[in-house]
C-alpha cells in the first residue's frame, strides 16, 4: 500500500490551518505506543476532509492529535502557525477556542448538566457572561439542531442521536474556524446520516446560519460509501500510514486498486 | 510423619527455625510496594495541592459567572445538606461525652473541671474530626465517584477541548466549598453538642447551673483555641477536597477502578488529617 496518494499542492494560496510533518501519532489507550507513523498532512482553509479507515486504525487518535489535544510522539504539529509542542498551559487557549471537536460515542456531554447548560458552559466560561445572558445563542444553536423541545433534559434522558447533535452544538458554541467531527455515522439510520451530511456541508460552505461563516471541517468515518456524497479532500488510513487524496476520483481509484469496498 | 517428630522438643525446634530462616522475599516485596505507593501518593498529592493553589490565585478573576455559582452549589452540598445528620450527631455526642463526663465528675465532686474537659475534648479534637468525617462520608466519596466517572468517560478531555481548565472548573469550587462548609459545620456541631450535653446533664439532675457551665467553658477557652479551630477545620475541609479530587481526576481511570479510588481517597484523607492534627498538637504543647 505504500507509495500511493500524495497531496496535490495546487491551492497554495489558501491559508494553511494545520500542518503535520513526519508525525507519529500515539495510541489513546497507551500513550507510549505509536498507532500511525510518518503522517504528513496539510489542512487548508475551506477544506472538507473525509478520513476513512477500518475500525481501530487510529482515526480518532489522528484527529485528536491534529486538533492539538494530545502531544505526538515524534514530528511537528503546527496549528494556526503555532508549534503545539512549544506551548504550555494557557498559551494553548486562543488556539483551543478556534477549534471545535465533536467526539464519537455520544459526544462526551457532561452528564450532570442539561443539554442547554452543556452548550452554554463554554460561552459562559470564556465570554465572562452569566448563564441567563448566554442562553439566547445556545437556545438558537439547539433549535438549529432540531432539539428545541429537549433543551432542559439531561443527556442520559435523550437518545443517542440527540446527544451527538448536542455535541455538535457545543463544539460550535465558540464559533470555531476549524471543526473536527469524529465518526458520527456509526449506529445511525439513513435519516440521521442525511441530516449530518447536509448540516456539515452547509457548515463548510457557510450557509448553515447567519452567525457562522464557512468552517473548515475534518471528519472521520468508518469505511462506507459516504465519501461519494460529501467532502472535497479525502484521507485513508491503512497499514499504520495516512494517505491523502485531493479528489473523489483519486480515492475511488485507490479503493478499487486495493479492493476495499 | 516419622516417629522422631513426636519425641522432639518443639519449643527448641521452633526457636531454631525462627532465628535461622530468612524472611521470605514475598513479604519484603509487599512492604516495599506499599512504601513506594505511599511515597508516590505523597508526591502526587503535594503536586496536585500546589497546582490547585496556583490556579486559585492565577485565575481568581476569570470565569466568575461559572465558578461562583459552582462554589455555592458545593457549599450547599457540603454545608447545608448534612445539617440534619449533623443535628442527630450533636444529640448523640452530647449524650456520650458531655452527659457522661458531667455525671462522673459530679460523683467525684469535680464539677469545676467540666468546662476545661469540654474544651479539651470537644473543641480541640473531637468536634473537628467528627464534622470532617461527616463531610467526607457525605460529600467526599460522592466527589471521587463523580470525578472518577467523568474521567473514565472522557469528559475531562472534552473540557480541555473546550479550553476549560478542569482544575479551575472542577477542583477550585470543591476546594473552597469544602473548606468553608467544614468550618461552619464544625462550629454548629460544637455549639450544638455543648447545648445538648447540658440538657442531658440537666435531665440527670446534676447540680450544675447553666451560668456556671458557660463560665467554665468560657474560662477554659483561649484565643489560640479559636484560631487553631478555624485553621484546623478549614484545612481538614481543604484536605478532603484535594485528596478526593486527586483520586478522581489525577490519573487515567477506567470505570472499574472508581470504587478502589474511592476507598483510597478515604484513607488518604484520614492519614493527612492525623498528620495535620499532630502539627496542631505541637502548637498546644509549645
Amino acid at each position: 500500500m505504500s507509495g500511493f496518494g500524495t497531496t496535490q499542492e495546487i491551492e497554495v494560496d489558501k491559508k494553511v490551518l494545520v500542518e503535520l510533518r513526519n508525525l507519529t501519532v500515539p495510541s489513546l489507550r497507551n500513550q507510549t505506543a505509536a498507532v500511525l507513523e510518518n503522517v504528513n498532512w496539510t489542512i487548508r482553509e475551506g477544506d472538507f476532509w473525509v478520513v476513512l479507515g477500518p475500525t481501530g486504525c487510529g482515526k480518532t487518535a489522528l484527529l485528536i492529535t491534529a486538533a492539538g489535544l494530545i502531544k505526538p510522539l515524534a514530528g511537528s504539529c503546527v496549528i494556526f502557525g503555532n508549534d503545539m509542542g512549544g506551548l504550555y498551559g494557557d498559551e494553548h487557549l486562543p488556539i483551543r477556542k478556534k477549534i471545535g471537536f465533536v467526539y464519537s460515542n455520544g459526544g462526551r456531554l457532561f452528564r450532570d448538566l442539561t443539554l442547554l447548560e452543556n452548550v452554554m458552559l463554554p460561552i459562559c466560561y470564556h465570554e465572562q457572561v452569566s448563564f441567563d445572558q448566554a442562553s439566547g445563542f445556545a437556545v438558537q444553536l439547539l433549535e438549529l439542531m432540531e432539539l428545541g423541545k429537549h433543551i432542559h433534559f439531561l443527556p442520559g434522558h435523550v437518545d443517542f442521536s440527540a446527544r451527538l447533535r448536542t455535541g455538535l452544538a457545543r463544539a460550535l458554541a465558540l464559533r470555531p474556524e476549524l471543526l473536527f467531527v469524529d465518526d458520527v455515522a456509526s449506529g445511525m439510520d439513513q435519516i440521521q446520516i442525511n441530516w449530518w451530511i447536509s448540516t456539515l456541508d452547509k457548515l463548510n460552505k457557510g450557509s448553515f446560519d447567519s452567525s457562522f461563516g464557512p468552517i473548515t471541517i475534518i471528519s472521520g468515518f468508518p469505511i462506507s460509501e459516504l465519501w461519494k456524497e460529501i467532502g472535497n479532500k479525502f484521507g485513508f488510513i491503512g497499514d499504520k500510514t495516512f494517505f491523502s487524496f485531493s479528489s473523489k476520483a483519486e480515492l475511488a481509484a485507490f479503493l478499487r486498486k486495493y479492493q476495499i469496498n | 510423619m516419622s516417629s522422631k517428630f513426636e519425641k522432639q522438643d518443639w519449643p527448641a525446634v521452633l526457636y531454631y527455625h525462627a532465628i535461622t530462616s530468612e524472611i521470605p522475599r514475598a513479604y519484603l516485596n509487599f512492604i516495599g510496594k506499599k512504601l513506594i505507593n505511599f511515597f508516590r501518593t505523597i508526591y502526587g498529592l503535594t503536586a496536585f495541592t500546589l497546582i490547585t493553589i496556583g490556579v486559585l490565585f492565577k485565575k481568581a478573576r476569570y470565569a466568575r459567572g461559572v465558578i461562583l455559582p459552582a462554589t455555592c452549589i458545593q457549599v450547599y452540598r457540603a454545608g447545608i445538606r448534612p445539617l440534619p445528620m449533623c443535628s442527630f450527631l450533636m444529640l448523640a455526642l452530647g449524650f456520650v461525652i458531655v452527659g457522661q463526663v458531667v455525671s462522673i465528675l459530679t460523683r467525684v465532686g469535680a464539677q469545676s473541671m467540666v468546662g476545661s474537659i469540654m474544651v479539651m475534648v470537644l473543641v480541640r479534637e473531637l468536634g473537628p474530626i467528627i464534622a470532617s468525617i461527616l463531610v467526607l462520608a457525605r460529600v467526599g466519596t460522592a466527589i471521587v465517584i463523580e470525578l472518577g466517572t467523568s474521567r473514565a468517560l472522557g469528559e475531562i478531555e472534552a473540557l480541555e477541548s473546550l479550553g476549560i481548565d478542569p482544575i479551575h472548573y472542577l477542583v477550585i469550587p470543591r476546594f473552597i466549598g469544602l473548606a468553608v462548609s467544614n468550618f461552619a459545620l464544625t462550629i454548629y456541631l460544637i455549639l450544638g453538642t455543648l447545648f445538648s450535653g447540658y440538657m442531658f446533664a440537666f435531665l440527670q439532675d446534676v447540680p450544675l447551673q447553666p451560668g456556671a457551665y458557660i463560665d467554665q467553658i468560657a474560662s477554659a477557652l483561649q484565643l489560640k483555641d479559636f484560631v487553631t479551630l478555624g485553621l484546623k477545620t478549614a484545612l481538614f475541609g481543604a484536605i478532603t477536597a484535594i485528596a478526593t479530587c486527586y483520586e478522581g481526576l489525577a490519573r487515567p481511570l477506567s470505570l472499574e477502578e472508581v470504587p478502589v479510588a474511592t476507598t483510597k481517597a478515604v484513607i488518604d484523607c484520614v492519614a493527612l488529617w492525623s498528620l495535620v492534627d499532630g502539627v496542631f498538637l505541637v502548637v498546644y504543647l509549645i
Side-chain angles (χ1 to χ4, degrees):
Chain A
M1 275 203 189
S2 58
F4 197 105
T6 53
T7 311
Q8 301 289 323
E9 304 282 345
I10 48 173
E11 300 155 320
V12 284
D13 48 338
K14 282 210 185 136
K15 190 168 110 180
V16 172
L17 299 184
V18 176
E19 181 130 21
L20 307 179
R21 287 270 157 255
N22 296 320
L23 205 76
T24 306
V25 176
S27 157
L28 294 175
R29 264 169 286 254
N30 171 12
Q31 299 210 355
T32 50
V35 68
L36 290 180
E37 276 154 7
N38 259 330
V39 174
N40 290 299
W41 196 9
T42 307
I43 298 171
R44 294 179 194 278
E45 198 176 3
D47 286 351
F48 186 159
W49 282 86
V50 173
V51 176
L52 299 174
T55 355
C57 65
K59 276 194 311 295
T60 306
L62 177 64
L63 291 184
I64 287 181
T65 314
L69 294 169
I70 222 180
K71 281 213 166 83
L73 291 175
S76 85
C77 173
V78 177
I79 302 180
F80 292 108
N82 295 285
D83 186 350
M84 296 305 280
L87 296 180
Y88 289 98
D90 286 338
E91 291 165 3
H92 285 260
L93 195 57
I95 301 168
R96 194 54 56 230
K97 290 203 263 188
K98 292 193 210 169
I99 302 178
F101 203 106
V102 183
Y103 289 91
S104 60
N105 276 330
R108 291 199 201 173
L109 300 180
F110 307 123
R111 292 155 305 124
D112 52 334
L113 302 178
T114 61
L115 299 190
L116 181 63
E117 286 165 355
N118 260 281
V119 179
M120 285 202 297
L121 178 64
I123 306 173
C124 292
Y125 188 87
H126 290 297
E127 293 171 18
Q128 313 271 23
V129 293
S130 68
F131 270 96
D132 296 320
Q133 289 166 307
S135 64
F137 183 54
V139 171
Q140 184 195 352
L141 267 176
L142 283 170
E143 275 166 2
L144 286 166
M145 304 288 145
E146 296 169 21
L147 292 173
K149 293 189 189 140
H150 305 291
I151 58 176
H152 295 301
F153 282 76
L154 289 173
H157 300 165
V158 295
D159 70 325
F160 183 69
S161 61
R163 287 203 283 273
L164 266 179
R165 292 189 191 192
T166 313
L168 177 64
R170 188 179 69 181
L172 292 173
L174 293 175
R175 295 187 177 87
E177 293 175 24
L178 186 55
L179 182 68
F180 287 84
V181 180
D182 183 22
D183 195 7
V184 289
S186 291
M188 299 292 221
D189 58 44
Q190 198 55 44
I191 302 170
Q192 299 291 336
I193 293 178
N194 290 341
W195 184 90
W196 276 96
I197 288 173
S198 80
T199 306
L200 289 177
D201 206 37
K202 284 185 205 161
L203 278 168
N204 180 241
K205 296 194 170 105
S207 57
F208 181 63
D209 186 65
S210 52
S211 1
F212 293 100
I215 301 178
T216 310
I217 299 183
I218 296 100
S219 56
F221 290 104
I223 299 179
S224 62
E225 305 266 311
L226 268 170
W227 56 270
K228 294 180 184 164
E229 295 170 62
I230 42 169
N232 54 28
K233 296 272 180 66
F234 303 89
F236 188 88
I237 299 176
D239 264 358
K240 282 194 152 195
T241 324
F242 175 75
F243 303 97
S244 54
F245 311 96
S246 53
S247 69
K248 286 196 189 22
E250 278 184 36
L251 177 66
F254 176 85
L255 293 175
R256 248 192 325 265
K257 178 170 176 182
Y258 292 101
Q259 286 161 339
I260 303 156
N261 241 15
Chain B
M1 292 276 251
S2 67
S3 58
K4 72 170 181 179
F5 283 102
E6 293 165 4
K7 291 176 200 148
Q8 277 190 347
D9 184 5
W10 279 111
V13 167
L14 288 170
Y15 181 68
Y16 169 74
H17 279 291
I19 59 173
T20 57
S21 60
E22 295 169 359
I23 302 171
R25 201 173 169 76
Y27 292 115
L28 283 173
N29 286 351
F30 175 76
I31 295 170
K33 204 160 70 166
K34 288 286 177 200
L35 271 175
I36 290 173
N37 282 338
F38 170 72
F39 285 119
R40 222 180 248 163
T41 308
I42 298 284
Y43 172 76
L45 279 170
T46 313
F48 195 75
T49 311
L50 292 172
I51 292 170
T52 306
I53 295 172
V55 169
L56 178 65
F57 287 109
K58 206 168 94 166
K59 295 196 182 171
R61 292 179 184 277
Y62 197 72
R64 272 188 173 163
V66 170
I67 302 299
L68 277 179
T71 311
C72 292
I73 290 172
Q74 295 302 324
V75 170
Y76 170 72
R77 275 175 75 189
I80 297 179
R81 282 181 62 185
L83 280 178
M85 185 65 192
C86 198
S87 308
F88 173 76
L89 271 177
M90 262 158 36
L91 293 173
L93 270 181
F95 176 67
V96 164
I97 302 166
V98 184
Q100 295 199 33
V101 163
V102 165
S103 66
I104 288 169
L105 286 177
T106 314
R107 258 181 257 159
V108 299
Q111 289 101 297
S112 55
M113 296 291 291
V114 169
S116 38
I117 290 180
M118 281 308 104
V119 166
M120 223 172 1
V121 170
L122 193 58
V123 174
R124 287 184 199 168
E125 297 298 335
L126 208 58
I129 290 277
I130 299 281
S132 303
I133 289 176
L134 178 63
V135 167
L136 175 64
R138 268 205 76 124
V139 179
T141 47
I143 290 177
V144 187
I145 293 169
E146 67 194 13
L147 291 183
T149 317
S150 295
R151 181 84 209 226
L153 295 177
E155 291 176 24
I156 310 300
E157 283 85 19
L159 272 176
E160 288 176 342
S161 76
L162 294 168
I164 298 174
D165 184 354
I167 305 277
H168 190 219
Y169 176 63
L170 294 171
V171 181
I172 299 289
R174 287 166 172 86
F175 183 74
I176 301 173
L178 256 70
V180 167
S181 304
N182 208 18
F183 169 70
L185 216 60
T186 311
I187 306 293
Y188 176 68
L189 183 76
I190 290 172
L191 289 174
T193 308
L194 291 172
F195 175 74
S196 72
Y198 181 76
M199 293 311 297
F200 280 111
F202 177 75
L203 289 170
Q204 290 175 341
D205 281 332
V206 169
L208 183 63
Q209 296 297 315
Y213 179 63
I214 293 170
D215 275 337
Q216 285 170 20
I217 292 173
S219 57
L221 281 172
Q222 306 161 29
L223 178 64
K224 73 176 175 184
D225 287 320
F226 290 95
V227 174
T228 48
L229 182 68
L231 276 175
K232 195 197 246 195
T233 49
L235 261 179
F236 276 17
I239 286 170
T240 311
I242 293 282
T244 49
C245 291
Y246 173 74
E247 291 298 340
L249 278 184
R251 278 155 313 163
L253 274 186
S254 55
L255 276 174
E256 59 269 12
E257 289 166 2
V258 173
V260 174
T262 312
T263 48
K264 202 159 179 299
V266 170
I267 295 168
D268 287 347
C269 279
V270 173
L272 286 171
W273 292 341
S274 313
L275 214 72
V276 168
D277 215 14
V279 168
F280 277 95
L281 206 63
V282 168
V283 166
Y284 281 108
L285 295 175
I286 293 173

